Amino acid sequence: MVEQTFNALMLREEDRKTRAAVETLSFDALPAEDTLVKIDYSTINYKDALAVTGTGKVVKAWPLVPGIDFAGTVVETTNPQLNAGQKVVLTGWGVGEKHWGGYSQYQRVRGDWLVPLPDGLGTREAMMVGTAGLTAMLCVSALESAGVTPQSGPVLVTGATGGVGSIAVAILKHLGYTVSALTHNPEKHDYVRGLGASEIVDGPQWAESPRALEGQRWAAAIDTVGSKVLARVLAEMNYGGVVAACGLAGGADLPTTVMPFILRCVNLIGVDSVMLPLKNRIAAWQRIVTDLPVSVLDAITAKTVRLTEVPSAAADLLAGKVRGRLLVDVN
């Protein structure tokens, strides 16, 4: 190994406040795990933004290198399933929360957490997809497993200009679904239409608690928001409709009733990408190669930032100033 030191964005707790700064580290500072990866790219997800800004209680161990996902090349490993020189992607497993993560030029992690990059996907493209894209793919798969087809009717995607929502719209459109997109920002309507949304949904009612049952509108939905938005989605589902819920950007509460479930037979499916078994991750990444058009990745990726720019970009994401994905070039 030529390098003696490398750069990483480090979070430290000072006077109960989070301080984020790029630091120069030596390799013996890294965790004692079995695989060393030279990182090419990471991303800024909603959870990353909470961690870096100290807004949410995401960080479980101090000090911490944040970044819940990354893609790069295996430098050395004792894991029998991996080889030096192999391109890999990591998402979840508590990385960037309680284990050191992707905002670093190098990282040591458990080899069992790494997914070999499928053919047709480079490290940059993998992080244009990232945790958000993996979660979107899992949500689409959950709807399909519950019997939803393009012929079932319109599918609503909430938080449609965010990372998960944007990629969910693109995948659903590619698979032939009629997609409706919920977004409160008129400036982003053309963006989601460009990804494949045939209808833009908005209105003051989405900030209010719905009645137990509203008019039936959707065959299925992917919800990234939670709280009153998810409650309204459930109240507006068609009989036998399916909702895949994966986020809480609007809140962790769910002010609903049992009515959608017992009177309209609505199915609510929870989707998690953090502790997903490896075989399911591999299958999802394989589907991403075929079901997410590469041509939309540039449209979904808002911009690429350096390690030093991550804190300000994270604040912009939380303030709703970012559409799509934020790519981090750690080098």
Side-chain angles (χ1 to χ4, degrees):
M1 187 176 302
V2 177
E3 298 92 340
Q4 299 299 314
T5 60
F6 58 92
N7 294 326
L9 181 70
M10 185 71 75
L11 300 185
R12 297 186 184 275
E13 189 177 38
E14 298 178 355
D15 298 324
R16 297 186 177 182
K17 294 183 179 179
T18 300
R19 183 179 70 85
V22 175
E23 300 182 10
T24 299
L25 303 179
S26 60
F27 285 90
D28 58 8
L30 291 174
E33 301 292 358
D34 62 21
T35 302
L36 177 66
V37 179
K38 186 181 189 304
I39 298 174
D40 295 332
Y41 296 96
S42 184
T43 63
I44 304 178
N45 299 281
Y46 184 75
K47 188 182 291 185
D48 295 318
L50 292 175
V52 171
T53 61
T55 305
K57 296 181 179 180
V58 173
V59 178
K60 306 297 193 299
W62 301 92
L64 182 83
V65 175
I68 67 172
D69 49 13
F70 64 74
T73 305
V74 174
V75 176
E76 57 188 29
T77 183
T78 59
N79 188 295
Q81 304 302 316
L82 298 170
N83 300 297
Q86 192 170 20
K87 302 293 184 181
V88 291
V89 59
L90 183 146
T91 62
W93 300 114
V95 170
E97 300 176 67
K98 56 184 177 181
H99 306 291
W100 283 19
Y103 297 163
S104 176
Q105 293 176 306
Y106 288 87
Q107 194 55 268
R108 276 201 188 97
V109 296
R110 298 181 193 176
D112 291 341
W113 295 344
L114 297 168
V115 174
L117 273 186
D119 293 339
L121 201 63
T123 55
R124 184 172 184 270
E125 290 77 22
M127 282 297 97
M128 292 167 108
V129 176
T131 292
L134 175 65
T135 303
M137 188 74 258
L138 294 172
C139 287
V140 173
S141 296
L143 297 184
E144 293 174 334
S145 296
V148 179
T149 68
Q151 291 71 42
S152 299
V155 179
L156 176 67
V157 177
T158 70
T161 61
V164 176
S166 294
I167 295 177
V169 170
I171 293 174
L172 288 167
K173 172 63 176 178
H174 179 73
L175 293 175
Y177 289 85
T178 301
V179 187
S180 298
L182 175 64
T183 175
H184 301 311
N185 190 336
E187 296 179 357
K188 298 178 180 178
H189 287 184
D190 288 343
Y191 166 71
V192 289
R193 285 195 180 97
L195 295 177
S198 58
E199 178 189 14
I200 304 298
V201 179
D202 197 3
Q205 70 273 20
W206 288 95
E208 303 168 356
S209 296
R211 295 175 296 180
L213 292 174
E214 299 282 353
Q216 298 182 47
R217 299 182 67 182
W218 320 110
I222 293 175
D223 177 65
T224 70
V225 181
S227 193
K228 294 177 182 178
V229 169
L230 178 53
R232 181 166 293 278
V233 170
L234 292 168
E236 293 186 355
M237 296 305 296
N238 293 351
Y239 189 91
V242 183
V243 180
C246 65
L248 43 66
D253 61 320
L254 181 54
T256 189
T257 72
V258 299
M259 296 298 189
F261 308 107
I262 66 174
L263 295 183
R264 288 187 182 162
C265 203
V266 172
N267 294 277
L268 176 60
I269 302 172
V271 175
D272 167 66
S273 65
V274 176
M275 303 306 295
L276 188 70
L278 183 61
K279 66 177 183 178
N280 300 80
R281 293 172 187 268
I282 293 173
W285 279 104
Q286 290 287 354
R287 281 205 65 183
I288 285 168
V289 174
T290 58
D291 294 340
L292 176 60
V294 175
S295 59
V296 307
L297 288 178
D298 285 327
I300 289 172
T301 304
K303 62 179 180 179
T304 301
V305 300
R306 304 178 180 184
L307 283 176
T308 54
E309 298 170 316
V310 167
S312 61
D316 286 344
L317 191 153
L318 293 181
K321 298 178 181 179
V322 177
R323 70 181 191 189
R325 308 281 290 132
L326 282 167
L327 195 65
V328 181
D329 184 344
V330 301
N331 298 296

